[in-house]
């Protein structure tokens, strides 16, 4: 009898699977019976957010930010003292920056302050608590929080203030002293290397923005607007998603959904999208290339030499600022796959005016293009590539480099607060070659190549090569600097006079650029 029942069940299942219209009908009926997560407006969707809550905010700069949800929060003067977890705070007058202006944020948990002057002013003035984290650590902490993983170990930040603690979280309002500082990290040794313990992050609410979504909360992101949206969506106790396009249930292709609806609790069709671009950067014409300031000519001189580091087939990350310009000078016949840590592989040149897309920006928030064969993905996936040693080389800017290859490039205490961004993660990848491009001396003439760094470290003994406007140094492990090349017209004696540490001179040193 039991065997007969089993055979009947198998036969019944077989009939359903071989008759697509029945299977489709059942699926459609189930979807229609599902409780809709759709809300009428952004104001309605944010109901329940209260003072003191932790808000996880998707986006990167202004790319992919939940514009309408943030405006709705800004309209609620009763929401105060929130902790905002976001890569950065947009600009002073838009995005998350508007909540800073309205003084609704008590603490920012971010990787980058960048050019947001109000963010920096409130932080340095003791008006705002800021917990700065490496960008990859932030992405992974959120991903782990969403996955129910309480913590993880990472190489990022070993030997820096991230490990030792003491990074100012809140300054005194008179600018004298630090009221709250970061705590030291617990460490553990794996395979003879020290790692730091980082804890997962969750939030009371996650506010994210998607290109397309349905009433069940299934989300699809467009291009680089995936960034922090995907991991944030998984880590909120209540996740609210605003979408540009609300599509019928079943229209999204099953294998192209980035965030399944199980993570999303509320969906709202965004009312108005400005789709601002933080740094609209267009491709320069040949004529424009000829009209450059002296400082830009100096930068181009350094970058043209840096571009000779590219080898065919390399996967390379270019830091913001000067390094990203190196992509303009890749030699003909060489293919280099450029990775941007906000979620692009196969990055192309700056766009023409006709090619500009607000959903395509690089790690410096500049408008870019993507070459055929390129891909876009979330920030946690991007830093998995970096930590997983998939990159061949990283080119970064620097404020100081020591004779041992220690790098400083994220802060001048009490004066310049850039934030780590992705630099600490990039220099911690053991197999990725690290090249630093910078002027040999600061604007006041002080050397930037030091015996010991005086600025907080980005990484310890992590630099392989230094390229300046005057020369090229290699960092030889256990020995120090080796002068490899001179810029045209420079002499060894001149380099010794403007470098604050000893170095050896290669037997074949020559003027090469």
């Amino acid at each position: 009898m039991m065997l007969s029942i089993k055979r009947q069940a198998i036969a019944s299942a077989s009939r359903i699977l071989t008759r697509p219209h029945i299977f489709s009908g059942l699926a459609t009926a189930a979807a229609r019976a599902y409780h809709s997560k759709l809300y009428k407006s952004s104001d309605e969707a944010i109901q329940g957010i209260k003072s003191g809550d932790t808000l996880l905010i998707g986006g990167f700069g202004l790319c992919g930010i939940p514009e309408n949800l943030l405006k709705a929060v800004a309209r609620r003067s009763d929401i105060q003292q929130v902790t905002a977890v976001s890569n950065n705070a947009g600009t002073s007058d838009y995005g998350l920056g508007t909540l800073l202006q309205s003084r609704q944020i008590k603490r920012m948990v971010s990787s980058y302050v960048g050019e947001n002057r109000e963010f920096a002013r409130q932080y340095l003035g003791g008006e705002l608590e800021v917990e700065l984290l490496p960008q990859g650590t932030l992405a992974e902490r959120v991903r782990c929080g969403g996955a129910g993983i309480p913590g993880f170990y990472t190489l990022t930040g070993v030997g820096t203030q991230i490990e030792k603690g003491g990074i100012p979280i809140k300054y005194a309002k008179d600018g004298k002293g630090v009221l709250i500082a970061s705590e030291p990290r617990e460490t553990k040794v794996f395979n003879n290397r020290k790692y730091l313990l980082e804890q997962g992050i969750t939030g009371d609410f996650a506010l994210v923005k998607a290109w397309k979504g349905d009433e069940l909360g299934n989300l699809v992101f467009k291009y680089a607007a995936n960034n922090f949206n995907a991991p944030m969506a998984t880590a909120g106790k209540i996740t609210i998603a605003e979408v540009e396009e609300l599509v019928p249930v079943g229209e999204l292709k099953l294998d192209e959904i980035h965030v399944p609806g199980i993570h999303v609790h509320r969906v709202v069709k965004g009312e108005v999208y400005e789709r601002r671009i933080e740094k609209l950067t267009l491709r320069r014409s040949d004529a424009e290339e000829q009209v450059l300031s002296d400082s830009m000519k100096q930068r181009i001189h350094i970058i043209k030499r840096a571009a000779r580091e590219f080898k065919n087939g390399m996967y390379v990350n270019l830091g913001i600022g000067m390094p990203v310009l190196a992509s303009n000078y890749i030699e003909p016949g060489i293919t280099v796959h450029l990775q941007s840590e906000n979620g692009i592989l196969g990055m192309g040149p700056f766009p023409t005016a006709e090619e500009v897309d607000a959903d395509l920006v690089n790690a410096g928030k500049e408008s870019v293009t993507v070459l055929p064969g390129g891909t876009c993905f979330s920030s946690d996936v991007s830093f998995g590539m970096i930590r997983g040693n998939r990159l061949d080389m990283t080119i970064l800017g620097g404020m100081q480099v020591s004779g041992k290859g220690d790098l400083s490039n994220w802060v001048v205490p009490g004066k310049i607060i850039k934030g780590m961004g992705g630099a600490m993660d990039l220099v911690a990848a053991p197999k990725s070659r690290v090249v630093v491009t910078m002027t040999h001396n600061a604007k006041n003439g002080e050397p930037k190549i030091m015996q010991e760094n005086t600025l907080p470290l980005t990484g310890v003994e992590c630099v392989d090569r230094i390229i300046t406007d005057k020369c090229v140094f290699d960092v030889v492990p256990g020995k120090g600097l080796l002068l490899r090349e001179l810029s045209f017209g420079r002499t060894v004696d001149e380099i010794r006079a403007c470098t604050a540490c000893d170095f050896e001179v290669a037997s074949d040193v020559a003027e090469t650029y």
Side-chain angles (χ1 to χ4, degrees), residues 305 308 465 471-472 483-487 509-510 512-513:
R305 172 58 190 84
R308 285 163 43 193
R465 173 162 282 188
C471 69
V472 175
L483 181 63
R484 280 289 186 190
E485 301 174 26
L486 293 167
S487 181
V509 67
T512 59
Y513 70 105

Side-chain angles (χ1 to χ4, degrees), residues 42-91:
S42 296
D43 291 302
E44 183 182 86
I46 67 161
Q47 293 302 311
I49 297 178
K50 62 186 184 302
S51 293
D53 278 348
T54 294
L55 306 183
L56 311 180
I57 313 295
F60 186 89
L62 298 181
C63 179
I65 61 171
E67 299 178 42
N68 295 282
L69 294 174
L70 289 172
K71 289 176 184 176
V73 174
R75 287 192 288 268
R76 288 277 304 280
S77 59
D78 59 313
I79 300 175
Q80 299 289 329
Q81 297 288 297
V82 301
T83 294
V85 181
S86 176
N87 178 67
N88 60 319
T91 59

Side-chain angles (χ1 to χ4, degrees), residues 2-16:
M2 184 62 69
L3 183 60
S4 175
I5 292 173
K6 286 183 178 179
R7 285 175 177 168
Q8 289 176 23
I10 292 170
S12 176
S14 243
R15 283 194 297 275
I16 291 175

Side-chain angles (χ1 to χ4, degrees), residues 82-89 100 105-114 116 118-133 162 166-171 178 180-183 185 410 417-420:
V82 301
T83 294
V85 181
S86 176
N87 178 67
N88 60 319
L100 288 176
I105 298 176
K106 175 185 179 182
R107 175 177 287 206
M108 286 291 307
V109 181
S110 301
S111 80
Y112 197 66
V113 176
N116 189 325
E118 181 62 16
F119 191 173
R121 189 196 67 75
Q122 288 189 26
Y123 175 41
L124 293 174
E127 300 173 26
L128 177 71
E129 297 176 11
V130 179
E131 184 179 350
L132 287 170
L133 301 173
I162 294 292
I167 299 175
I169 291 176
K170 187 173 185 180
Y171 286 99
V178 175
I180 306 173
S182 65
E183 296 291 330
R185 296 295 197 267
W410 69 275
I417 306 293
K418 289 186 174 182
M420 307 86 175

